[in-house]
Amino acid sequence: ILDKEEFRIKVSRIDNLVAQKKYKEAVEVVESIDWRRVKNVHNLCVVGEIYAANKRYEESKEIFLLAYHRAPIGKNILYRLIEVSLKMQDIEEAEEFYEEYLEVAPNDNTQYILKYKISKAKQVSLDEQIRILEEYKEREFTERWSYELAKLYYQKGDMKKCLEMCNDIILWFSEGRYVLKAMDLKNRMGQLTGKEREQYEKQFIPNLTTVDQMTQSGEARETGSDAENKYELLPSQQSCPEKYFLLPEEQKLLPVPAPERFYVPFQKNDP
C-alpha cells in the first residue's frame, strides 16, 4: 500500500508522461497502483484513457466503471464507457450505457453522436446513419460531424448534398483540418473554385506524408476523444495536429458513386 506522498509522486509521473504522449511508459506506472482504493474521479478517468490509448479496453472499461460509481451523475464517463464498449465490439453493452446516458442527459445533443457511433457499429443503412447526423446538425453545427455527414452523402452518391455540406463547412469555418478535408472532397468531385484550389494546394499538398506516418497518426487519433464530445480531454488530446490528409481507412469509406465526368476517383497511390 502506497502512502500519500508516494501516491502523489506516481500520479505526477503519470501526468508528465501523458503530457508527453508516452502512454506505454505511463501504463507501467499505472499498474503499480491499486486504483480500487482511489476516490479521485479525475485520476481514474486519466487512467482509463491511458489503458484505452494502449488498446487495453477491458482494463479501461473497469477503471471508467470505478469512476462512474464514484460519480454516478457523470455523463462524460458514460460517454467513454460507450466508446470503450464499441472498441471491444460489445454493442449490447454500449446500448445499455447509452440508455443510462439518455436518463442522465436527455437533452444533451451529444446523444446523437453516440447514437450514430452505435448505429455505425451495427452497420445500419446509410440512410439511417444520415438521418441521425442530419438531426444532430439541426441542433448543433460542428465541422467534425458535418464533414462526417458529407462523407456519408458521398458514399450514398448524393453529390448535390455532399457539395452543399462541403460549401457550408468552408463558409462557416474558413480554415483547419476539416475545412481542408471538405476541400479534398470537392476536389475529387471536380468542384473546387479558383480561390479554394489555391488554399488547398498551398496547405494540403505540402503537408502530405508517408503511408507509415499516416497510419501511425491515425492509430494515435483513434484513442482520443473528439472536441465535440464535451468530455474533459487529456492535455495531449486538447489540440488536434493540423495534418491535412484523408487517412487510408477514410479513403475506403468513400467509394466512387457518381458518373465519371463528375468526380476524380480515388487511386491506390492517392494520399
Side-chain angles (χ1 to χ4, degrees):
I1 300 175
L2 299 175
D3 62 32
K4 288 185 178 180
E5 181 59 20
E6 288 176 318
F7 177 75
R8 187 192 66 77
I9 291 171
K10 284 181 179 289
V11 168
S12 177
R13 171 68 174 156
I14 290 169
D15 288 340
N16 288 334
L17 289 170
V18 166
Q20 299 174 60
K21 302 182 182 180
K22 295 181 178 179
Y23 300 116
K24 288 184 179 179
E25 292 181 38
V27 83
E28 293 176 6
V29 183
V30 162
E31 292 184 326
S32 69
I33 299 173
D34 183 358
W35 294 99
R36 292 171 299 178
R37 298 175 177 273
V38 176
K39 296 181 179 179
N40 186 293
V41 173
H42 172 74
N43 287 341
L44 290 171
C45 287
V46 170
V47 172
E49 295 287 2
I50 290 169
Y51 276 127
N54 284 278
K55 298 187 178 181
R56 292 172 58 174
Y57 301 120
E58 186 65 46
E59 291 100 324
S60 178
K61 184 181 76 173
E62 289 175 5
I63 294 296
F64 278 123
L65 281 171
L66 276 178
Y68 184 53
H69 292 150
R70 302 281 193 271
I73 60 171
K75 67 176 183 178
N76 296 327
I77 300 172
L78 278 170
Y79 190 105
R80 294 301 287 131
L81 282 167
I82 293 166
E83 287 196 320
V84 169
S85 295
L86 291 176
K87 288 287 187 181
M88 295 170 66
Q89 298 183 336
D90 192 339
I91 296 175
E92 184 177 345
E93 188 170 54
E95 289 181 316
E96 290 175 5
F97 287 132
Y98 178 68
E99 292 303 319
E100 286 189 53
Y101 188 96
L102 292 180
E103 291 178 12
V104 171
N107 300 315
D108 193 331
N109 291 335
T110 305
Q111 66 176 275
Y112 296 99
I113 301 306
L114 291 170
K115 186 177 181 181
Y116 169 70
K117 290 184 175 185
I118 292 171
S119 297
K120 189 174 180 180
K122 292 171 70 174
Q123 298 183 328
V124 303
S125 68
L126 272 180
D127 285 337
E128 177 62 15
Q129 292 181 46
I130 287 171
R131 186 191 65 77
I132 295 168
L133 285 187
E134 284 179 337
E135 226 176 322
Y136 174 72
K137 177 178 170 289
E138 289 299 313
R139 291 163 173 78
E140 196 165 336
F141 185 64
T142 61
E143 53 191 329
R144 164 70 180 89
W145 296 106
S146 295
Y147 172 71
E148 186 77 10
L149 182 55
K151 283 202 303 182
L152 293 180
Y153 286 141
Y154 191 101
Q155 282 181 263
K156 186 182 176 182
D158 192 335
M159 297 296 110
K160 183 175 183 292
K161 286 188 176 180
C162 178
L163 183 59
E164 288 174 353
M165 183 58 60
C166 289
N167 285 337
D168 284 346
I169 293 169
I170 295 167
L171 174 65
W172 287 99
F173 299 104
S174 302
E175 59 184 21
R177 177 183 169 202
Y178 291 106
V179 167
L180 286 170
K181 285 190 170 191
M183 286 183 181
D184 190 63
L185 269 184
K186 287 190 68 174
N187 184 52
R188 293 175 190 278
M189 293 186 291
Q191 296 293 315
L192 276 181
T193 66
K195 185 177 180 181
E196 288 169 351
R197 179 167 296 282
E198 183 180 343
Q199 182 182 352
Y200 174 82
E201 291 178 349
K202 180 180 179 182
Q203 297 186 60
F204 185 95
I205 295 175
N207 283 280
L208 295 181
T209 185
T210 67
V211 172
D212 287 342
Q213 289 173 318
M214 287 193 289
T215 302
Q216 290 169 8
S217 177
E219 288 175 352
R221 277 206 297 273
E222 278 183 2
T223 63
S225 300
D226 299 306
E228 291 87 349
N229 294 346
K230 297 180 179 137
Y231 181 70
E232 183 178 341
L233 302 180
L234 298 179
S236 61
Q237 297 171 326
Q238 288 173 352
S239 61
C240 184
E242 295 293 316
K243 291 190 179 297
Y244 307 118
F245 50 74
L246 285 176
L247 296 170
E249 62 268 23
E250 290 177 320
Q251 293 182 20
K252 292 175 184 176
L253 291 175
L254 296 172
V256 179
E260 272 191 12
R261 60 182 176 78
F262 191 59
Y263 63 84
V264 178
F266 290 98
Q267 303 294 334
K268 289 184 179 179
N269 60 349
D270 274 359

